[in-house]
Amino acid sequence: MLCGLGLVGAMGAQSAWASDYKGEKVAGFIAEMASEYGFASEQLAELLAQAERKQAILDAISRPAERVRPWKEYRPIFITDARIAQGVDFWRQNQDALQQAEAKYGVPAEVIVAIIGVETFYGRNTGNYRVIDALATLGFDYPPRQPFFRKELKEFLLLAREEQVDPLTLKGSYAGAMGLPQFMPSSFRAYAVDFDADGHIDIWSNPTDAIGSAANYFKRHGWLSGGEVAVRATVAGERFEEGLTQGLEPGLNAAQLRELGWQPATAIADEAMVTAFRLEGAEGDEYWIGLPNFYVITRYNRSVMYAMAVNQLADALAKARGQQ
């Protein structure tokens, strides 16, 4: 049976269902969930019949990509007085959990606070779509990425069963990202932790679990305790552009990068694998060397500017916190 999916209220209270997802459209998915994970076909069919196709979600994900903002425009979105001040408040309110997470996972408190600050403004913007609507809409009605979102729908149903929560009540972004740290369901099942040991993982309204989960994600992706994130550099010579990293994967070590004309502001071990990038700053080009922890942040969101925003917000938070 569909035991533990929290459907008592969900199935009994609603008489008029949207019925966007029923019949042949979802039959294969239901059969797979029943065969592989032991879900009851009839109950799962009733649940999916309550999911609603959201045109706004399809519009959002299909929208042509905005032009890539240069760093001088991207940075001011996230490094603001309000985000710093509210981050310091969040840090103070959750100091014990942040200290425990830093001790267990080796991730500094300011980095954890910065991730939550960039992702959701400390829980202010966690998303208003029901997760089941987002994942059903994209899993059944968005062919370009249907396999990915159908897999996330499976993971979502499994986490709802495991956590004994009603899947019709959980909300997230238009793409199905959830809670303060904006985990996709697969990331939730892989990395989310019951950090306050109350028997339930809640990254929506429990900052302690969100903090521990974000820290665990970083640790599991290779965060090095005590390591720097990125170092400013100067460049010289005719070969420095050969050092610029293509993509996000580190391709050179620090010694090789120096041979191409890159000089870090602080010493980096020769064997350290690094990324090298140029940003269009407010006062001209900036050259940076990303260390292993920088790469870890890009595993959370695959963007150099995202990782830089997290890093610089973390620095600003630590400075502001230290001044109090």
Side-chain angles (χ1 to χ4, degrees), residues 216-290:
N216 184 46
Y217 185 101
F218 278 118
K219 179 66 174 179
R220 295 274 296 277
H221 282 83
W223 185 271
L224 301 176
S225 179
E228 288 189 84
V229 174
V231 174
R232 191 78 180 258
T234 56
V235 296
E238 298 180 355
R239 300 186 61 197
F240 76 87
E241 291 204 4
E242 295 177 33
L244 291 168
T245 303
Q246 304 300 313
L248 297 171
E249 300 279 343
L252 299 173
N253 63 34
Q256 292 170 320
L257 195 61
R258 278 197 299 273
E259 290 177 3
L260 294 173
W262 289 68
Q263 185 61 47
T266 57
I268 302 174
D270 286 351
E271 67 277 9
M273 296 301 294
V274 297
T275 55
F277 49 96
R278 173 172 50 205
L279 297 174
E280 184 183 339
E283 299 180 2
D285 287 344
E286 301 176 9
Y287 293 90
W288 290 87
I289 299 174

Side-chain angles (χ1 to χ4, degrees), residues 1-312:
M1 61 180 294
L2 196 63
C3 57
L5 207 61
L7 297 180
V8 176
M11 304 275 251
Q14 298 196 19
S15 57
W17 297 342
S19 298
D20 291 322
Y21 298 106
K22 65 178 182 177
E24 291 185 8
K25 190 166 192 173
V26 297
F29 178 84
I30 290 172
E32 193 174 338
M33 294 299 289
S35 173
E36 294 185 15
Y37 304 108
F39 282 78
S41 298
E42 183 176 340
Q43 284 187 309
L44 185 52
E46 291 183 16
L47 173 66
L48 290 174
Q50 295 176 78
E52 299 178 14
R53 180 185 185 277
K54 296 292 187 182
Q55 186 60 43
I57 290 173
L58 295 171
D59 292 343
I61 203 164
S62 302
R63 192 174 296 129
E66 296 181 8
R67 70 178 180 87
V68 178
R69 295 175 184 268
W71 176 239
K72 63 184 179 182
E73 295 178 16
Y74 186 93
R75 184 183 187 278
I77 296 172
F78 298 102
I79 316 301
T80 65
D81 290 343
R83 206 174 297 254
I84 293 166
Q86 292 191 34
V88 170
D89 288 343
F90 180 88
W91 191 337
R92 185 185 307 108
Q93 292 160 8
N94 298 283
Q95 181 172 336
D96 289 347
L98 288 161
Q99 288 179 339
Q100 292 165 15
E102 186 166 348
K104 181 171 184 177
Y105 300 109
V107 185
E110 61 266 26
V111 173
I112 302 171
V113 177
I115 278 287
I116 294 173
V118 169
E119 287 290 339
T120 61
F121 212 127
Y122 316 107
R124 179 192 294 183
N125 306 317
T126 57
N128 294 314
Y129 291 101
R130 291 194 309 176
V131 177
I132 196 167
D133 293 338
L135 297 177
T137 297
L138 297 172
F140 296 113
D141 285 315
Y142 186 63
R145 299 194 65 192
Q146 197 169 67
F148 171 79
F149 285 108
R150 199 168 292 192
K151 175 182 178 295
E152 291 297 334
L153 179 58
K154 290 180 185 178
E155 297 278 357
F156 176 67
L157 294 171
L158 288 166
L159 82 82
R161 181 168 71 179
E162 291 160 358
E163 294 301 316
Q164 297 282 294
V165 293
D166 181 351
L168 297 176
T169 65
L170 300 177
K171 292 188 176 182
S173 74
Y174 73 82
M178 308 177 301
L180 277 74
Q182 290 290 276
F183 276 11
M184 291 299 289
S186 58
S187 291
F188 182 104
R189 294 191 68 231
Y191 307 111
V193 295
D194 176 16
F195 204 50
D196 63 359
D198 68 352
H200 178 59
I201 303 174
D202 175 9
I203 62 172
W204 289 266
S205 58
N206 184 337
T208 299
D209 284 357
I211 287 164
S213 298
N216 184 46
Y217 185 101
F218 278 118
K219 179 66 174 179
R220 295 274 296 277
H221 282 83
W223 185 271
L224 301 176
S225 179
E228 288 189 84
V229 174
V231 174
R232 191 78 180 258
T234 56
V235 296
E238 298 180 355
R239 300 186 61 197
F240 76 87
E241 291 204 4
E242 295 177 33
L244 291 168
T245 303
Q246 304 300 313
L248 297 171
E249 300 279 343
L252 299 173
N253 63 34
Q256 292 170 320
L257 195 61
R258 278 197 299 273
E259 290 177 3
L260 294 173
W262 289 68
Q263 185 61 47
T266 57
I268 302 174
D270 286 351
E271 67 277 9
M273 296 301 294
V274 297
T275 55
F277 49 96
R278 173 172 50 205
L279 297 174
E280 184 183 339
E283 299 180 2
D285 287 344
E286 301 176 9
Y287 293 90
W288 290 87
I289 299 174
L291 300 169
N293 284 345
F294 184 85
Y295 179 64
V296 172
I297 299 176
T298 67
R299 301 293 299 279
Y300 204 98
N301 183 308
R302 297 187 63 79
S303 162
V304 165
M305 286 194 288
Y306 175 92
M308 281 298 293
V310 169
N311 181 43
Q312 294 196 2

